[in-house]
Amino acid sequence: MKNLDKVAPYTSSVAQGDWGTMTTLLAETAISAKDSISFADKTLLANYVYKKNGTYKLIYTTVAMDGSIENYAEDDGILPTLFLSPDQENYVSVIPYHPDKELEISIPVFHRDGVELPKGNRPFTGNFIGTTDSYSIFHDVPFEDNKPDKILAIEFINGKLKKKHNVKIPLPANNRIAICDKTIHLLANDGSILLHREIDEKGNVLRSREIDANDIDVLQILSSSFDKDSYLLAQDNDKIILEKIDAAGASEIIALVDFADPLFNTWQPVDIADDTFVTRFNTEFGNGWLTTKNDELLEIFYSKGEQGYRNLLTNALLPIPRDKLIISSINKTTEHAYAVVFYPMADDTAENAELIVLNRRLP
């Protein structure tokens, strides 16, 4: 395969502030955010960039912490899913054009010299979770009664993609999942009990324990371990809370912040430093993200009633002069730093042509 060609599909601008560095990408016609992921100390975006005739190209964009960008065009592929190899090399699964069938291939984003075009596989619909020593792990929840969760474990040998393994996880289903210290942890609400399991890449249960759920619905795993403290994110009684679980299985509830608006969705926490995680969320009234370190809340940004995001701990405003911003993704850049990708919600008469990338470092 040949390496990607550089292109220039956007005009861009960079603004600096106490809150960080903000890069704005503006396409001539329209842009659709598809995926993003860490790329060393940068952010790698995968977007569709549209022409006036309605056709589009898949464009990869790297955004550095100083706001500078580089752009590359995919030769043949749509529906990108970005992921990392165990060596932290950037890969993408795409579906090349074929008149009769849709098959997915997984290839390096960069450095394609010497890479042979692989055979296609049936597309996997899950989310990239992280890596173990030799596998890149995806997770899919079918949301159908008595249907088990699925894992796609992409095996690498000597830095090369070797094989894809489709695995069904033993019931119960609808697990929260996290990779901590290169091991896969699952957490499922099973009645009044939290079932905590550690599995290998083939779905075999290695360790299991039951924990009193305290009638709390866990939103996300921040960290999970059988041998030391685990931290789970939840909401209860108009507060965002942590449930801290020690190695013996005893739990403690820790209130982080008053927050009366029900959290509709939360996304997989992003590990940006030791025991430090950024988690994005949305509500009926807006969206935002919060940063925790162990049982401490470091910041919580929320868009409700704002053009931008207000840190509810300090009341400081991160100004973005747009209405109804959508958070597309959050990724780690360097230690204690992260990037947030936004786009304005377009109305019924217009298409969105703008992406905004905020690079922020914790104070």
Side-chain angles (χ1 to χ4, degrees):
M1 301 183 68
K2 77 177 191 67
N3 289 329
L4 301 175
D5 293 326
K6 281 192 174 184
V7 291
Y10 310 114
T11 56
S12 65
S13 60
V14 178
Q16 303 277 356
D18 294 339
W19 27 260
T21 301
M22 196 173 297
T23 303
T24 301
L25 307 178
L26 189 63
E28 183 178 355
T29 302
I31 184 174
S32 177
K34 293 300 173 184
D35 204 359
S36 77
I37 201 168
S38 296
F39 172 55
D41 60 354
K42 302 179 182 180
T43 300
L44 174 63
L45 311 174
N47 306 313
Y48 292 166
V49 179
Y50 289 83
K51 298 180 180 179
K52 290 182 179 179
N53 63 6
T55 63
Y56 63 86
K57 283 287 280 187
L58 171 54
I59 304 295
Y60 304 112
T61 300
T62 63
V63 183
M65 294 182 68
D66 65 2
S68 59
I69 66 170
E70 291 184 329
N71 304 288
Y72 305 84
E74 179 61 74
D75 291 329
D76 181 18
I78 60 171
L79 298 175
T81 300
L82 298 169
F83 66 98
L84 296 170
S85 74
D87 292 336
Q88 305 305 292
E89 293 294 322
N90 287 89
Y91 273 71
V92 65
S93 295
V94 293
I95 299 177
Y97 171 75
H98 191 282
D100 300 320
K101 53 189 175 181
E102 289 188 350
L103 293 177
E104 183 179 79
I105 62 171
S106 299
I107 52 179
V109 177
F110 305 108
H111 312 303
R112 295 182 179 180
D113 286 345
V115 175
E116 294 185 6
L117 186 68
K119 293 181 179 179
N121 304 100
R122 183 178 175 183
F124 187 83
T125 58
N127 298 314
F128 174 61
I129 301 301
T131 61
T132 61
D133 284 330
S134 301
Y135 294 82
S136 300
I137 304 296
F138 291 75
H139 177 232
D140 182 41
V141 178
F143 290 112
E144 297 172 316
D145 289 343
N146 298 318
K147 291 282 188 178
D149 294 6
K150 298 177 182 178
I151 278 181
L152 172 66
I154 303 180
E155 184 178 6
F156 284 78
I157 296 179
N158 296 324
K160 304 295 184 183
L161 195 157
K162 180 67 175 179
K163 189 177 181 180
K164 295 182 177 182
H165 304 267
N166 284 280
V167 176
K168 292 182 179 180
I169 299 173
L171 292 170
N174 195 20
N175 290 267
R176 302 299 181 189
I177 186 171
I179 297 178
C180 304
D181 297 324
K182 300 293 185 180
T183 59
I184 306 169
H185 291 260
L186 304 173
L187 199 67
N189 280 97
D190 194 9
S192 62
I193 296 298
L194 288 175
L195 179 62
H196 177 202
R197 293 178 289 175
E198 179 186 329
I199 63 170
D200 65 15
E201 296 88 350
K202 303 299 176 63
N204 301 306
V205 177
L206 305 178
R207 290 196 277 184
S208 177
R209 64 177 176 172
E210 294 182 344
I211 302 165
D212 185 351
N214 291 312
D215 296 321
I216 290 172
D217 184 20
V218 173
L219 299 174
Q220 294 292 337
I221 300 171
L222 295 174
S223 61
S224 185
S225 173
F226 281 83
D227 307 311
K228 58 184 180 181
D229 291 342
S230 302
Y231 293 92
L232 313 176
L233 185 69
Q235 187 176 27
D236 186 52
N237 293 327
D238 295 339
K239 295 180 184 293
I240 296 176
I241 65 171
L242 291 180
E243 187 166 5
K244 178 182 177 182
I245 301 169
D246 66 20
S251 61
E252 175 188 358
I253 302 302
I254 300 167
L256 293 180
V257 65
D258 292 336
F259 198 89
D261 299 342
L263 298 178
F264 282 0
N265 299 285
T266 57
W267 282 260
Q268 180 187 351
V270 178
D271 184 353
I272 64 167
D274 287 343
D275 306 312
T276 306
F277 297 87
V278 182
T279 307
R280 65 181 170 114
F281 61 85
N282 66 14
T283 73
E284 178 184 359
F285 308 104
N287 56 49
W289 68 94
L290 57 90
T291 306
T292 55
K293 181 174 183 180
N294 290 324
D295 57 4
E296 180 184 1
L297 181 65
L298 302 182
E299 58 184 11
I300 175 169
F301 286 91
Y302 191 28
S303 67
K304 180 180 179 180
E306 306 288 357
Q307 277 204 329
Y309 292 81
R310 188 171 297 279
N311 186 347
L312 302 184
L313 295 188
T314 65
N315 205 38
L317 180 66
L318 193 168
I320 307 176
R322 309 287 189 279
D323 291 320
K324 296 182 179 179
L325 282 166
I326 304 299
I327 301 176
S328 174
S329 55
I330 298 178
N331 298 292
K332 177 183 177 179
T333 49
T334 61
E335 290 289 291
H336 301 98
Y338 59 90
V340 187
V341 183
F342 312 90
Y343 61 88
M345 181 185 293
D347 59 34
D348 294 337
T349 61
E351 293 181 303
N352 177 53
E354 187 179 46
L355 278 185
I356 300 167
V357 181
L358 167 70
N359 271 286
R360 176 172 171 78
R361 181 178 296 278
L362 291 183

